[in-house]
Amino acid sequence: MRGGRLVAAVSDVSFDLAPGQCLALVGESGCGKSVLASALLGLLPGNAEVRGEVRHEGRELLTADEATLARTVRGRRIGLVPQSPAAHLTPVRTVRSQLRETVRELTGTRRAQLDDAVAGAAERAAFPADHLDRYPHELSGGLAQRAATALALVGDAPLLIADEPTTGLDRDLVDRTVGELRRHADDGRGLLVITHDLAAAERIADRVAVMYAGRIVELTSASAFFGKPGPRHPYAAGLLAALPERDFTPIPGMPPELDALPGGCAFAPRCDRATDACRVRPALTGTTACHHALEGVHA
């Protein structure tokens, strides 16, 4: 709800994610990606209305009560690297203290081995050992991101949701973080990465889901998306074309507000392929939700 109005922040979203697989969810800010992640973990505001089904390890998550989610799902079965890590770190406790508690609770490590386990968890996320006794307000954005990543990786959860995990990191640390997250999937766990960084997505993803105005408009393999034949939805093709190493041509206009979506195809006002047919909202057919899907963009 926004100002007493019902906002369809995410709608008609459907995908599966197998163990050992990484799905990258990409799109511009305000398209509903983080809202979707919050819905999966039951972290939406109290006035949110949620319909549908989310199944993980045979458990239906959308109908699970808060106690079940807090005690048996979050952290243990589904890990989260949050989009705003500083807001998720306890402000009155050091990083070391928070890592110690998380390691103890999720792994059962004995007290005598906790220090070594904490050091290993920090190293895994490239968090510097000499910063472990700092409080969250003493960390830069990049350090807070690495602290949150270290906490999320501790339990080796069967599913990890990483929401903009490379924000605030330099390229070397981006590469290291992407490598560690990829190892999480390669060890037989599911990985959902929400990112603006298409270069990181290309390195880590098995499949790519492109989100626009609260809907998935393309869902395809990473090899097809980044290589040949290339993306089929004009918006997805525009995201790639905007990269400096590609055409460096931005998509004209801005995404619509989720409480003021146009009728029909939400991308039509920004699309040079739009016709009268786009007054009807296209369904996701095959890999693409578009009346005028592209063919062989990179062929």
Side-chain angles (χ1 to χ4, degrees):
M1 299 290 290
R2 179 184 295 175
R5 294 174 295 169
L6 186 63
V7 179
V10 176
S11 61
D12 300 329
V13 169
S14 178
F15 62 85
D16 55 25
L17 181 57
Q21 187 177 80
C22 172
L23 173 67
L25 184 62
V26 303
E28 293 165 293
S29 296
C31 288
K33 304 185 301 297
S34 293
V35 173
L36 176 59
S38 295
L40 297 178
L41 285 167
L43 296 173
L44 291 174
N47 64 345
E49 295 183 13
V50 183
R51 301 185 185 94
E53 183 180 65
V54 177
R55 301 202 71 83
H56 176 58
E57 297 182 323
R59 187 195 304 270
E60 192 352 76
L61 298 184
L62 288 187
T63 58
D65 58 81
E66 173 60 24
T68 298
L69 291 172
R71 294 172 185 169
T72 65
V73 176
R74 298 186 196 124
R76 299 179 186 278
R77 310 310 300 169
I78 303 178
L80 173 66
V81 180
Q83 183 182 32
S84 303
H88 284 73
L89 298 172
T90 305
V92 295
R93 298 179 61 189
T94 65
V95 175
R96 185 189 304 276
S97 173
Q98 295 180 62
L99 273 173
R100 281 177 64 91
E101 179 182 41
T102 303
V103 169
R104 184 175 64 249
E105 288 294 323
L106 297 186
T107 69
T109 300
R110 295 182 179 181
R111 186 180 299 273
Q113 284 80 46
L114 269 179
D115 287 341
D116 288 342
V118 166
E123 171 65 19
R124 190 175 178 188
F127 187 88
D130 59 356
H131 286 55
L132 281 169
D133 293 313
R134 294 190 179 187
Y135 291 89
H137 73 271
E138 298 177 303
L139 304 177
S140 66
L143 283 171
Q145 185 70 58
R146 282 181 272 170
T149 301
L151 289 164
L153 289 171
V154 163
D156 286 325
L159 172 61
L160 180 64
I161 300 173
D163 193 353
E164 300 293 353
T166 60
T167 298
L169 304 182
D170 62 34
R171 182 48 56 182
D172 287 343
L173 286 172
V174 167
D175 291 342
R176 180 163 176 172
T177 299
V178 166
E180 189 60 48
L181 292 175
R182 183 64 240 187
R183 278 190 288 275
H184 186 86
D186 289 341
D187 287 341
R189 306 179 185 95
L191 175 62
L192 174 62
V193 174
I194 299 168
T195 185
H196 291 92
D197 188 342
L198 291 180
E202 184 173 11
R203 280 195 54 196
I204 198 172
D206 299 295
R207 293 191 300 155
V208 176
V210 181
M211 202 163 190
Y212 187 78
R215 301 182 69 220
I216 290 179
V217 297
E218 183 154 358
L219 179 60
T220 188
S221 69
S223 59
F225 184 84
F226 291 107
K228 292 183 179 181
R232 301 193 64 218
H233 196 284
Y235 174 66
L239 290 178
L240 277 186
L243 294 176
E245 60 269 27
R246 302 253 181 168
D247 297 338
F248 207 24
T249 304
I251 302 173
M254 296 291 290
E257 295 291 332
L258 293 177
D259 60 351
L261 296 178
C265 173
F267 185 62
R270 305 173 70 188
C271 183
D272 60 6
R273 298 172 66 87
T275 67
D276 287 346
C278 303
R279 294 177 181 175
V280 177
R281 188 171 74 171
L284 184 66
T285 303
T287 65
T288 313
C290 182
H291 294 298
H292 307 292
L294 304 169
E295 296 288 349
V297 175
H298 302 310

